[in-house]
């Protein structure tokens, strides 16, 4: 069974503080190679405080990125540093690779535990190759031609997110520039909103290892991901083509609910939970590894940053 590599001060032979961790990270080539080999690294026991985080992020995340074209609720708390997804504590967030629906995505993600919850709240991580292999052949073949994502973003008032928040700009030309790098159709609507349609592969190959992994967010964009009452209310309030986000197969054919259930459940079943202690850091290869969130109680504050722009691959 795959699991992330855990690095501790004792195991690394360094002091249990930020200087010790920086000593480990100073060998950039070794850290990079270990991340590709092990896919996820957890740095535990160094007791990193929030005020010590910036230089460590700089070492782990060259070319730190803004969360542009993100679709989950977050709060920006620093220089391209964000809170983890702010969904209600009682909900499980299913496995996904960050921004896998977009034309560009981060190559790596960094998680930092500023405050662990009273209970629960683990970040499950899944080997994308194992997730792909866990799916029935019927499902893999159905997704072979890829998926079509449709996103309706309002211009300031409405359901879901605005295009201004999503792209961190109020300039339509900048939005079009961001979306020009991939197979995206952009439609500005008369009410000031934006519709984005994107065709994406369902799998990706890692640029270094060549490993093929499950790499899409069909299960999170599908209406069946919502509870029954919410999905029914959404359909009653909005026309099908105005739902904030939806997904079909690449040719527009609906994706069966059963396929979505299997993708979600088997991703979670293959996942390994990473429980949090204050000051822990985890860095993951965002192509090789998906992540999610378990339910929790009490306050929980996990910060997230990302780096390196990958491009569409199949």
């Amino acid at each position: 069974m795959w699991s992330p590599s855990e690095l501790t001060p004792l195991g690394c032979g360094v002091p249990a503080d930020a200087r010790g961790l920086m000593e480990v990270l100073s060998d950039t080539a070794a850290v990079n190679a270990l991340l590709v080999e092990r896919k996820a690294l957890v740095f535990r026991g160094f007791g990193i405080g929030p005020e010590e985080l910036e230089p460590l992020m700089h070492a782990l995340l060259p070319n730190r990125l803004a969360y542009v074209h993100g679709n989950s609720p977050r709060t920006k708390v620093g220089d391209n540093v964000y809170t983890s997804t702010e969904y209600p504590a009682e909900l499980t967030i299913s496995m996904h690779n960050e921004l896998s629906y977009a034309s560009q995505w981060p190559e790596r993600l960094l998680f930092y535990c500023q405050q662990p919850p009273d209970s629960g709240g683990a970040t499950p991580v899944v080997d994308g190759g194992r997730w792909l292999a866990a799916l029935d052949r019927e499902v893999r073949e159905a997704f072979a031609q890829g998926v079509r994502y449709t996103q309706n973003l309002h211009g300031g008032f409405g359901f879901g997110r605005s295009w201004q928040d999503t792209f961190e700009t109020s300039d339509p030309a900048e939005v079009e520039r961001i979306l020009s790098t991939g197979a995206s159709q952009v439609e500005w609507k008369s009410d000031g909103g934006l519709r984005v349609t994107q065709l994406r592969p369902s799998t990706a190959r890692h640029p270094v290892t060549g490993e093929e992994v499950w790499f899409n967010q069909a299960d999170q964009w599908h209406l069946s991901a919502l509870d029954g009452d919410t999905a029914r209310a959404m359909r009653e309030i909005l026309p099908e083509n105005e739902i904030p986000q939806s997904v079909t197969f690449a040719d527009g054919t609906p994706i069966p609910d059963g396929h979505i259930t299997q993708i979600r459940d088997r991703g979670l079943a293959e996942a390994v939970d990473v429980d949090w202690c204050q000051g822990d850091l985890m860095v993951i290869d965002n192509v090789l590894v998906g992540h999610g969130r378990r339910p929790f109680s009490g306050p929980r504050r996990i910060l997230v940053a990302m780096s390196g722009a990958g491009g569409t691959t199949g």
Side-chain angles (χ1 to χ4, degrees):
M1 181 71 173
W2 170 84
S3 64
S5 281
E6 186 172 296
L7 289 83
T8 65
L10 181 61
C12 296
V14 296
D17 55 24
R19 287 179 298 176
L21 180 52
M22 185 59 76
E23 184 178 336
V24 174
L25 301 182
S26 65
D27 191 343
T28 302
V31 173
N32 291 347
L34 185 62
L35 179 59
V36 171
E37 176 189 351
R38 295 302 306 157
K39 308 180 182 183
L41 308 176
V42 178
F43 300 95
R44 196 183 297 280
F46 291 91
I48 305 303
E51 71 285 353
E52 300 171 309
L53 190 57
E54 181 61 33
L56 300 171
M57 286 195 299
H58 184 73
L60 281 165
L61 300 177
N63 183 30
R64 202 150 80 226
L65 303 175
Y67 184 58
V68 172
H69 204 175
N71 69 331
S72 63
R74 301 173 185 267
T75 301
K76 192 170 186 175
V77 297
D79 181 15
N80 291 342
V81 181
Y82 302 82
T83 58
S84 57
T85 300
E86 296 170 353
Y87 283 150
E90 67 273 14
L91 299 181
T92 295
I93 298 176
S94 62
M95 310 310 296
H96 61 285
N97 303 78
E98 203 64 48
L99 291 168
S100 60
Y101 54 84
S103 59
Q104 292 194 325
W105 52 78
E107 294 173 347
R108 2 176 120 172
L109 302 181
L110 175 75
F111 300 84
Y112 166 70
C113 178
Q114 184 173 347
Q115 181 173 7
D118 294 340
S119 63
T123 295
V125 289
V126 64
D127 181 322
R130 292 179 63 94
W131 190 4
L132 176 63
L135 301 175
D136 292 350
R137 177 180 296 180
E138 175 190 9
V139 173
R140 296 197 303 269
E141 290 178 350
F143 277 84
Q145 300 306 311
V147 294
R148 180 192 301 267
Y149 300 100
T150 301
Q151 196 170 22
N152 287 290
L153 302 166
H154 62 77
F157 300 96
F159 289 100
R161 305 188 81 204
S162 70
W163 61 263
Q164 293 93 334
D165 287 341
T166 298
F167 293 98
E168 294 194 1
T169 181
S170 57
D171 183 358
E174 175 64 10
V175 173
E176 293 187 12
R177 186 197 66 77
I178 293 168
L179 293 172
S180 68
T181 57
S184 304
Q185 296 178 356
V186 177
E187 177 188 347
W188 294 100
K189 298 188 288 186
S190 59
D191 63 1
L194 170 65
R195 178 177 294 122
V196 181
T197 304
Q198 302 175 101
L199 298 178
R200 295 286 178 263
S202 60
T203 65
R205 289 192 180 275
H206 191 268
V208 176
T209 69
E211 181 180 2
E212 185 178 17
V213 298
W214 188 249
F215 195 78
N216 66 83
Q217 283 175 242
D219 60 311
Q220 292 194 333
W221 284 57
H222 199 270
L223 268 183
S224 66
L226 302 173
D227 66 82
D229 290 343
T230 302
R232 280 191 295 273
M234 190 79 72
R235 287 191 173 102
E236 290 173 1
I237 295 169
L238 295 171
E240 193 76 21
N241 67 345
E242 293 293 336
I243 291 172
Q245 61 183 41
S246 59
V247 64
T248 65
F249 290 123
D251 63 1
T253 304
I255 301 173
D257 291 0
H259 287 10
I260 296 300
T261 299
Q262 181 181 138
I263 292 164
R264 182 187 64 241
D265 291 353
R266 295 191 184 176
L268 286 165
E270 289 291 332
V272 176
D273 284 353
V274 175
D275 293 306
W276 292 109
C277 296
Q278 195 283 322
D280 286 351
L281 291 168
M282 177 170 66
V283 61
I284 67 173
D285 185 304
N286 186 48
V287 174
L288 295 174
V289 173
H291 66 282
R293 192 202 69 190
R294 302 292 186 185
F296 63 94
S297 63
R300 176 186 188 268
R301 188 172 175 86
I302 307 296
L303 303 183
V304 183
M306 54 198 78
S307 74
T312 300
T313 181

